[in-house]
Amino acid sequence: LQMLEQQVVGGEQAQNKDLKEKHQRRKKYADERRLQLVAALQESNEDSSERALLNVYDSIQEEVRAKSKMLEKLQAAETEIKDLQLEFGLEKTDYLSTIRRQERDLMLCQQLLDQVQSLIRRDCNYSNLEKIRRESVWDEESGCWKIPEPVIQKTHLP
């Protein structure tokens, strides 16, 4: 019964020495290759995600841990991306509302200028608003426009 069991456990060629040697050579080559990959990974100081990419593990538990860590990192990255997208969406909405409000304010100022310009005396330098715009300069330090002083030009007749 034991002889029969030994023959059955190894298959039909359980006693084939060539096959056993071939199997041992393959196993030895696989172990050497695994050791080379592990050494290369340790030399390059790569983290476990690289090991997961190369599929080099000492046990199934190590593989599960490595893949779990990768999954956690991916989920964290996806969460971060969603948070950033939400934040950028809120900022975009805020910027658009600010732009709309500033456009309304600009239109109000322009309409006021158009109404008031006809009331400005002709001998005042502010009667020509385009000239005032050309002469105005933005001051970076104070953060405001430097505009010319209003001047009334009196013409003296001889």
Side-chain angles (χ1 to χ4, degrees):
L1 193 69
Q2 285 180 344
M3 288 176 51
L4 188 61
E5 185 178 302
Q6 286 176 353
Q7 289 178 350
V8 171
V9 170
E12 293 177 355
Q13 300 191 14
Q15 303 298 326
N16 190 341
K17 290 182 181 180
D18 292 334
L19 188 62
K20 284 182 181 179
E21 288 176 9
K22 186 176 178 182
H23 179 68
Q24 287 178 348
R25 282 193 308 258
R26 284 185 179 176
K27 186 176 178 182
K28 183 179 177 183
Y29 175 76
D31 288 341
E32 288 174 1
R33 180 71 179 142
R34 184 182 59 82
L35 290 175
Q36 288 174 352
L37 289 173
V38 169
L41 285 173
Q42 288 174 349
E43 287 176 8
S44 63
N45 290 330
E46 299 296 332
D47 61 353
S48 64
S49 64
E50 300 261 340
R51 290 182 66 159
L53 292 176
L54 293 176
N55 296 326
V56 178
Y57 303 105
D58 292 332
S59 67
I60 293 175
Q61 288 83 9
E62 184 179 334
E63 180 178 3
V64 169
R65 270 187 257 122
K67 289 187 178 183
S68 296
K69 285 181 183 179
M70 278 183 49
L71 181 63
E72 289 173 4
K73 287 180 182 180
L74 285 172
Q75 289 173 342
E78 287 176 356
T79 304
E80 183 71 20
I81 288 170
K82 287 178 184 176
D83 290 345
L84 288 174
Q85 286 175 340
L86 179 64
E87 183 180 335
F88 288 138
L90 294 174
E91 286 181 11
K92 179 182 173 183
T93 304
D94 187 40
Y95 287 142
L96 289 174
S97 66
T98 302
I99 289 170
R100 288 185 191 107
R101 183 179 42 82
Q102 289 177 343
E103 285 176 347
R104 284 193 311 267
D105 292 346
L106 181 63
M107 287 174 63
L108 174 64
C109 290
Q110 187 63 44
Q111 288 176 348
L112 285 172
L113 283 174
D114 291 343
Q115 291 292 323
V116 174
Q117 186 174 11
S118 64
L119 303 175
I120 298 174
R121 294 174 44 176
R122 298 271 181 226
D123 57 351
C124 180
N125 62 343
Y126 274 69
S127 65
N128 186 354
L129 290 178
E130 287 302 316
K131 183 179 178 185
I132 297 299
R133 283 185 180 155
R134 286 192 307 265
E135 292 175 358
S136 299
V137 178
W138 177 257
D139 184 14
E140 288 290 334
E141 290 180 12
S142 63
C144 62
W145 287 95
K146 299 292 181 183
I147 56 175
E149 291 294 323
V151 176
I152 295 177
Q153 301 168 349
K154 293 189 180 193
T155 50
H156 297 284
L157 296 174

